[in-house]
Amino acid sequence: MNIGTAAQKANLPTKTIRYYEDIGLIKPQRDVNGYRVFRDQDVHKLNFVGRARALGFSIEDCRNLLALWEDKGRASADVRAIAKAHLAQIDAKIADLSGMRDTLGDLVRDCAGDARPDCPILSKLGTLG
Amino acid sequence: MNIGTAAQKANLPTKTIRYYEDIGLIKPQRDVNGYRVFRDQDVHKLNFVGRARALGFSIEDCRNLLALWEDKGRASADVRAIAKAHLAQIDAKIADLSGMRDTLGDLVRDCAGDARPDCPILSKLGTLG
DNA sequence: ATGAGGGTTCCACTCACTGGAAGGTCAAGA
DNA sequence: TCTTGACCTTCCAGTGAGTGGAACCCTCAT
């Protein structure tokens, strides 16, 4: 498939996909006419990278994660170590988001009365774990 | 407190804090000597912004969220609407992270044997919800 | 009074895109 | 066959969110 189709499937702008090729995150084939040709694998990778980026993972994080799946010769201890580090990172993000969720929920419940008084939540802002 | 102390408490580089002042996210007071003076409220905001940024929220998202807490005159329906949109965004992020967590866990369990065969997970990559 | 360790501004750089210009490719219809 | 429009290409410039460094000011202990 061409870049437009891949972009739709991966939910990313074509510009971004070309950029990801530029920096070596993906390596689509080329057709005789010079067009990029994407396989399903490429789309899977793009999809994954797009979502990971939206969750605050860096390009280098993504590169490592993709390499985990790609590098079949890698020692399993190595895989485990990298994967575990990322698992911890993910768990921390989830915990952090849950905290924000609670705070926002509190805001809606406690502070959105018709005549909203001084909001008691600002004082908690930034201190939740 | 001065910017260094605030930076430590908020876990952000001083450079970033100056930048956040530049774009109007925070408005620390100024001492007679020209030094920025941070109150606890400022630190709370910085802390919140730092964590939200790490979770993939844009500066504009942060600006809106901070405004929610700050603008005491805002109509409560408005507050509710914005807060609810952000709650949905947070829930989506949590769901997405959970999916990644599972995939990564699978990778560790299924694909990290000593002689790792063709990993069956790459094919699932990017398709999890 | 001097030196270390803060602080200040400003300017240039990076990273991760994003927009636009200028032009090549291709399928469909007059 | 020609054209039109949607798609693709590269290249270059701009943006958003910082980040590094130079040059200089403030404060406090020795």
Side-chain angles (χ1 to χ4, degrees), chain A residues 48-71:
Chain A
F48 175 80
V49 172
R51 297 186 311 113
R53 294 285 303 127
L55 294 166
F57 290 95
S58 72
I59 291 283
E60 283 321 297
D61 284 337
C62 294
R63 211 189 284 282
N64 287 335
L65 253 348
L66 289 183
L68 268 193
W69 278 289
E70 263 178 359
D71 184 353

Side-chain angles (χ1 to χ4, degrees), chain A residues 71-94:
Chain A
D71 184 353
K72 304 206 173 62
R74 191 186 288 258
S76 72
D78 196 3
V79 174
R80 268 179 198 283
I82 298 176
K84 275 177 108 172
H86 278 277
L87 270 176
Q89 218 184 330
I90 287 172
D91 284 341
K93 278 174 192 288
I94 290 176

Side-chain angles (χ1 to χ4, degrees), chain A residues 41 43-45 47-48 51-57 65-77 79-80 82-84 86-87 90-94 96-105 107-109 111-114 116-119 121-129, chain B residues 41 43-45 47-48 51-57 65-77 79-80 82-84 86-87 90-94 96-105 107-109 111-114 116-119 121-129:
Chain A
Q41 259 206 11
V43 173
H44 290 326
K45 286 193 203 176
N47 205 321
F48 175 80
R51 297 186 311 113
R53 294 285 303 127
L55 294 166
F57 290 95
L65 253 348
L66 289 183
L68 268 193
W69 278 289
E70 263 178 359
D71 184 353
K72 304 206 173 62
R74 191 186 288 258
S76 72
V79 174
R80 268 179 198 283
I82 298 176
K84 275 177 108 172
H86 278 277
L87 270 176
I90 287 172
D91 284 341
K93 278 174 192 288
I94 290 176
D96 220 0
L97 280 168
S98 302
M100 287 194 180
R101 204 183 141 21
D102 292 349
T103 306
L104 211 51
L107 174 72
V108 170
R109 264 194 309 288
C111 292
D114 259 352
R116 196 148 66 96
D118 262 15
C119 178
I121 284 180
L122 184 55
S123 60
K124 285 200 314 192
L125 223 181
T127 63
L128 29 94
Chain B
Q41 259 206 13
V43 173
H44 290 327
K45 286 192 202 176
N47 205 320
F48 175 79
R51 297 185 310 112
R53 294 287 302 126
L55 294 166
F57 291 95
L65 252 348
L66 290 182
L68 269 195
W69 277 288
E70 265 177 357
D71 184 354
K72 304 205 173 64
R74 193 186 286 258
S76 73
V79 173
R80 266 177 200 285
I82 298 176
K84 274 176 109 172
H86 277 278
L87 271 176
I90 287 173
D91 284 341
K93 278 174 192 287
I94 290 176
D96 220 359
L97 279 169
S98 301
M100 286 195 183
R101 211 193 111 88
D102 292 348
T103 306
L104 210 51
L107 174 72
V108 170
R109 262 193 311 287
C111 293
D114 260 350
R116 196 146 68 96
D118 262 15
C119 179
I121 285 181
L122 184 56
S123 60
K124 284 200 312 190
L125 221 180
T127 63
L128 29 95

